[in-house]
């Protein structure tokens, strides 16, 4: 709401403001334990991934790479995240990273930076990945890709 994250129980009309940071906070995802929220913060210069520890209300910056980092999703076991980023290539690619002690490590790009041979009427000539999701058991990753698609945002991969 208005660039801040809020919490509300389904059976209540009472809300609690969770963030009031320097920027616009959105796209939250809560871990399975319910004690941490990963989210996106647009700070006017870049779009970075943030982590809110609900046990002590501390917020940590997970990225500071000046890229567009979006759509973070916790793995079912809470040890990894998926996210979309323009890191290095300036194209929207799918990344996976380990998360521990409020930091990211072993950041790995899962989709290649690839120029499509199909001419598109909109979007970039480069393939993109969006909307990542884990399977319930954490063994599979799903996302939307526009690889060789002329119209629209893509198909599920």
């Amino acid at each position: 709401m208005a660039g801040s994250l809020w919490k509300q129980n389904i059976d209540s009309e009472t809300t609690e403001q969770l963030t009031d940071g320097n920027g616009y906070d959105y796209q939250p995802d809560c871990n399975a334990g319910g004690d941490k929220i990963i989210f996106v913060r647009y700070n006017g210069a870049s779009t970075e991934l943030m982590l809110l520890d609900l046990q002590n209300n501390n917020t940590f910056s997970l990225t500071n790479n000046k890229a567009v980092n979006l759509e973070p999703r916790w793995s079912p076991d809470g040890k990894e995240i998926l996210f979309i980023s323009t890191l290095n290539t300036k194209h929207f690619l799918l990344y996976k990273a380990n998360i521990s002690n409020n930091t990211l490590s072993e950041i790995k790009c899962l989709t290649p930076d690839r120029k499509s041979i199909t001419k598109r009427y909109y979007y970039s000539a480069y393939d993109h990945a969006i909307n990542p999701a884990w399977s319930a058991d954490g063994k599979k990753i799903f996302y939307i890709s526009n690889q060789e698609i002329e119209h629209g945002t893509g198909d599920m991969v």
Side-chain angles (χ1 to χ4, degrees), residues 7-122:
K7 178 174 103 174
Q8 179 177 352
N9 289 332
I10 293 173
D11 60 350
S12 172
E13 293 185 19
T14 303
T15 60
E16 176 187 352
Q17 187 171 356
L18 300 176
T19 64
D20 189 18
N22 197 8
Y24 190 93
D25 300 339
Y26 62 111
Q27 296 184 337
D29 190 38
C30 192
N31 69 347
D35 61 341
K36 293 187 179 187
I37 297 175
I38 191 169
F39 64 96
V40 173
R41 175 172 286 162
Y42 175 66
N43 62 23
S46 62
T47 309
E48 305 292 353
L49 300 182
M50 307 295 291
L51 179 71
L52 172 62
D53 186 328
L54 293 173
Q55 293 179 331
N56 56 28
N57 291 322
N58 287 333
T59 301
F60 303 91
S61 180
L62 296 175
T63 61
N64 189 20
N65 54 29
K66 309 291 187 240
V68 178
N69 302 285
L70 300 168
E71 301 176 343
R73 299 292 176 255
W74 287 99
S75 63
D77 66 7
K79 295 179 181 178
E80 297 176 294
I81 65 163
L82 297 173
F83 64 103
I84 303 300
S85 183
T86 61
L87 181 65
N88 300 322
T89 67
K90 300 189 178 176
H91 303 124
F92 292 97
L93 302 178
L94 176 63
Y95 285 80
K96 180 172 80 167
N98 291 343
I99 186 165
S100 178
N101 298 320
N102 306 320
T103 60
L104 296 183
S105 64
E106 299 182 43
I107 298 171
K108 179 180 178 185
C109 185
L110 300 181
T111 53
D113 189 29
R114 186 181 161 290
K115 190 170 184 177
S116 178
I117 59 173
T118 301
K119 185 175 178 174
R120 297 192 177 114
Y121 290 98
Y122 50 91

Side-chain angles (χ1 to χ4, degrees), residues 104-154:
L104 296 183
S105 64
E106 299 182 43
I107 298 171
K108 179 180 178 185
C109 185
L110 300 181
T111 53
D113 189 29
R114 186 181 161 290
K115 190 170 184 177
S116 178
I117 59 173
T118 301
K119 185 175 178 174
R120 297 192 177 114
Y121 290 98
Y122 50 91
Y123 292 110
S124 166
Y126 288 84
D127 295 339
H128 67 231
I130 57 174
N131 296 57
W134 295 90
S135 63
D137 63 6
K139 293 181 180 180
K140 293 181 182 176
I141 296 170
F142 304 97
Y143 63 98
I144 304 296
S145 172
N146 69 342
Q147 184 175 337
E148 302 311 329
I149 293 179
E150 185 175 10
H151 301 285
T153 56

